[in-house]
Amino acid sequence: MKLATGSLDKAGVIARIKSEAAVAIIRTDSIERALGAANSVIAGGFRVIEITYSFDGATEAIAKLVDANENDLLVGAGTILNRRQAHDAVGAGARFLVSPCVLPEVIDAAGELQVAIIPGAFTPTEIYTAHSLGANIVKIFPAVRFGPEYLKAVRGPLPHISIMPTSGVDASNVAEWFRAGAVAVGAVSSVLDPALIQNGDWTELTKRARHFMDAVRAAR
C-alpha cells in the first residue's frame, strides 16, 4: 500500500482531518467518475477524500484511489449504512467512515475495525447520542437549513463535541462556519457539482476546489 497515512492510528486520522480542515465528498455513479472527481479536487488542494457508497463500485474506487496515491491522501468512505459496507470500505483502505445518520451498528463496526467514525446528526439530541456512542467527529447534516448560527447555538451546551458541517458550506461562508466552532468542513455540491462530474468537467472542478481550499486556509 502506497498510502503514507496508512500507518496513522485512529487518533492520528482524526488529527489529520482537523488539521486539513476540509473533506471532499464525492457522490457519483461510477468508478471512473469517482476517480476523475477525486483527481480533480486533489489537483485543487484537497488531501482528505471521501468516496460515498452511492454506486456499486465504491469499494473498488476506494481501493484504486488508495493504491494509486502519491499525494499523502487520507481516504475515507461515506454513506456507510451497515456493518458489511464498513468492513468492505476498511478492507479497501478507507481510514475513516461517514454515515448520514446515527447508526449504532456502523459506529460499533468502526470501533471494532479501529477506524475513525463520523456519523451524521442534526438535533442536539442526535448529536449528543452520536458522541455518546463513540463518534469521533459528528457531521451536522444537512447543514444547509440553518447555517453557522445553528452550529454556534449547539456548541453552547455541547462545546466538547467535535462537529463538521456538510451541505451548505461554500467558499463564501466557510469562515463563518469555523468561527462558529467547526473543526472541519465537508465540501459537497458547491465544489463537486453533480453536473460537472457527470460531464467530466475536471478543469472546472479543480478550479472550484482550489477556490474552496484557499478560503479554508484564509479562515484558519
Side-chain angles (χ1 to χ4, degrees):
M1 182 183 294
K2 298 179 182 178
L3 190 62
T5 51
S7 60
L8 288 178
D9 61 10
K10 181 165 62 175
V13 168
I14 297 162
R16 177 74 186 278
I17 292 171
K18 292 179 178 180
S19 174
E20 295 288 344
V23 180
I25 300 168
I26 297 174
R27 178 176 297 279
T28 187
D29 58 4
S30 73
I31 295 171
E32 292 73 23
R33 289 192 179 98
L35 294 178
N39 289 329
S40 297
V41 296
I42 290 166
F46 279 90
R47 290 296 176 266
V48 184
I49 308 292
E50 174 191 328
I51 302 292
T52 67
Y53 268 65
S54 52
F55 61 102
D56 290 340
T59 302
E60 185 177 348
I62 291 168
K64 286 180 177 293
L65 186 59
V66 168
D67 186 59
N69 169 57
E70 296 177 354
N71 295 285
D72 192 28
L73 297 181
L74 185 59
V75 181
T79 320
I80 300 297
L81 300 176
N82 54 58
R83 188 178 298 272
R84 178 186 58 78
Q85 289 177 333
H87 279 265
D88 288 349
V90 174
R95 301 311 313 274
F96 64 94
L97 302 176
V98 183
S99 61
C101 45
V102 182
L103 300 170
E105 174 185 349
V106 173
I107 296 173
D108 287 346
E112 294 166 3
L113 294 163
Q114 298 183 5
V115 295
I117 177 66
I118 307 174
F122 188 72
T123 68
T125 298
E126 292 171 345
I127 292 167
Y128 186 78
T129 298
H131 172 73
S132 66
L133 289 173
N136 304 116
I137 298 172
V138 178
K139 176 180 74 168
I140 286 188
F141 176 78
V144 67
R145 176 65 176 163
F146 297 113
E149 285 300 312
Y150 180 70
L151 172 57
K152 184 178 179 180
V154 167
R155 282 188 52 79
L158 301 173
H160 58 292
I161 299 178
S162 296
I163 296 178
M164 179 181 79
T166 69
S167 177
V169 181
D170 58 43
S172 70
N173 67 15
V174 69
E176 296 176 50
W177 285 108
F178 285 121
R179 283 196 295 268
V183 299
V185 294
V188 197
S189 58
S190 65
V191 175
L192 291 137
D193 186 320
L196 295 177
I197 297 175
Q198 194 70 26
N199 295 331
D201 193 344
W202 309 132
T203 300
E204 178 62 22
L205 279 176
T206 297
K207 179 181 176 182
R208 292 191 181 196
R210 186 172 293 117
H211 181 53
F212 187 91
M213 289 305 299
D214 285 346
V216 169
R217 295 185 187 104
R220 300 283 285 179

